[in-house]
Amino acid sequence: MGNASETWKCGLAKANAKTIASTIAAMVICLYTIALPLLSHAGEIQLATENYPPFNTVHAATGEISGSSTEKVIEIMRRAGESYHLAAFPWSRAYNMSENDPDTCLFSTAYTPSRRDKFQWVGPIVKNNKWVIFARADDTRKPKDLEDLRPYVIGVYRKAMASEVLSLKQFKTEVANYDTDNPRKLLAGRFDFWAAGETHGMEILRNQGLEKQIVPLFHFYQAKMYLACNLQMSKERIDHFNRILREMESDGTVAAIDKKYRKK
């Protein structure tokens, strides 16, 4: 009886060992199957952007992304031999992705002191982007500078440079998810004035046929714009991208792209 019991226990132990081994093997295969697609994309750069013409323009009919910044960034990736995936999102989501997800870069991103330590910077890809205050053409109020706007509400959009700068200066703002919504909100009286990048703002007004109804008043900020990459990306990679951009400036590629998108 003792021998039979020992034999049974031994057989059970072997069975359990086999079961455990089989379970572990199945788990390894399962994990490998899950990880394989991820491993095949290891190191692929995720390029996140928004619809911000003429620097990054999303074409509604096709989903294609073009623009002067887009072409510069793609050329940097091409010369660096990098694989990448390019996609457009609402700016706040794209910003959070670049801040939190490894191997992710965001453009076109205005460089500000408050953003300096949040990203690694490639650029500038736009050297002179001015931000302006817009008003309704029939508005009789004529502010000359930001301080004149203290009593009023200024329209901005989420995570944008204008939103950050004005909030730090404790101005009253109304925040939209998309800057393209702000001209109609301004005309509807949802806020008093609109803060936007000059080139981008004028492009929005042209596209919406509102150039005569909304006009620029004055510049209030100027900043360069960059490709802003996640802090976990290697410094060697960032340095390589910056070297390539300098080469593109030297060989005339940057100038040719800017000329292509410059309004006549």
Side-chain angles (χ1 to χ4, degrees):
M1 182 69 178
N3 289 339
S5 176
E6 292 300 322
T7 300
W8 180 82
K9 289 178 181 178
C10 180
L12 181 61
K14 288 180 180 178
N16 286 341
K18 288 181 180 179
T19 301
I20 293 170
S22 298
T23 301
I24 292 173
M27 290 173 65
V28 169
I29 292 170
C30 181
L31 290 171
Y32 178 77
T33 303
I34 293 170
L36 186 60
L38 300 176
L39 291 172
S40 67
H41 288 85
E44 180 181 75
I45 293 180
Q46 306 301 314
L47 296 174
T49 190
E50 64 166 337
N51 186 41
Y52 192 82
F55 306 112
N56 6 290
T57 304
V58 181
H59 300 274
T62 63
E64 179 187 359
I65 305 172
S66 64
S68 58
S69 293
T70 304
E71 288 201 18
K72 292 172 192 176
V73 169
I74 289 175
E75 180 62 13
I76 291 170
M77 297 298 116
R78 187 190 71 79
R79 294 192 188 192
E82 294 277 3
S83 60
Y84 64 88
H85 178 260
L86 171 63
F89 305 92
W91 180 251
S92 59
R93 181 181 173 189
Y95 187 100
N96 290 335
M97 287 170 60
S98 187
E99 195 172 12
N100 298 312
D101 298 345
D103 293 325
T104 301
C105 296
L106 170 71
F107 70 96
S108 302
T109 312
Y111 180 94
T112 65
S114 63
R115 292 175 173 177
R116 180 184 61 193
D117 297 329
K118 294 181 178 180
F119 303 100
Q120 299 188 80
W121 301 88
V122 178
I125 53 176
V126 178
K127 291 188 175 181
N128 184 22
N129 193 38
K130 297 177 180 178
W131 273 261
V132 303
I133 297 297
F134 289 89
R136 296 187 302 273
D138 61 358
D139 196 332
T140 58
R141 298 167 296 186
K142 302 297 179 185
K144 302 297 182 184
D145 55 34
L146 275 185
E147 285 306 310
D148 289 345
L149 299 181
R150 283 284 175 196
Y152 306 114
V153 178
I154 305 170
V156 294
Y157 74 109
R158 201 172 308 280
K159 290 284 188 179
M161 189 285 308
S163 177
E164 292 184 11
V165 168
L166 294 173
S167 293
L168 284 172
K169 293 178 180 291
Q170 299 184 328
F171 282 87
K172 292 177 285 188
T173 60
E174 177 165 310
V175 182
N177 288 323
Y178 300 95
D179 211 16
T180 48
D181 293 338
N182 280 327
R184 297 291 180 186
K185 288 185 174 183
L186 176 62
L187 292 176
R190 291 278 297 275
F191 46 76
D192 300 289
F193 298 95
W194 169 38
E198 181 176 34
T199 305
H200 172 60
M202 293 304 300
E203 186 81 6
I204 291 175
L205 294 178
R206 275 191 291 269
N207 290 340
Q208 297 184 4
L210 298 175
E211 292 171 281
K212 293 183 178 180
Q213 296 181 57
I214 297 175
V215 296
L217 295 182
F218 57 85
H219 298 116
F220 72 94
Y221 199 85
Q222 181 172 324
K224 297 175 181 179
M225 297 201 293
Y226 290 73
L227 177 68
C229 297
N230 185 271
L231 291 174
Q232 293 188 47
M233 191 170 290
S234 72
K235 186 178 184 300
E236 291 75 17
R237 218 174 188 181
I238 300 298
D239 290 343
H240 189 203
F241 295 160
N242 273 308
R243 285 195 298 271
I244 290 172
L245 182 58
R246 300 291 86 80
E247 292 170 2
M248 290 167 55
E249 291 173 341
S250 297
D251 65 24
T253 301
V254 167
I257 292 172
D258 285 338
K259 182 179 181 181
K260 176 179 175 182
Y261 288 92
R262 191 175 298 123
K263 291 294 180 182
K264 298 294 188 288

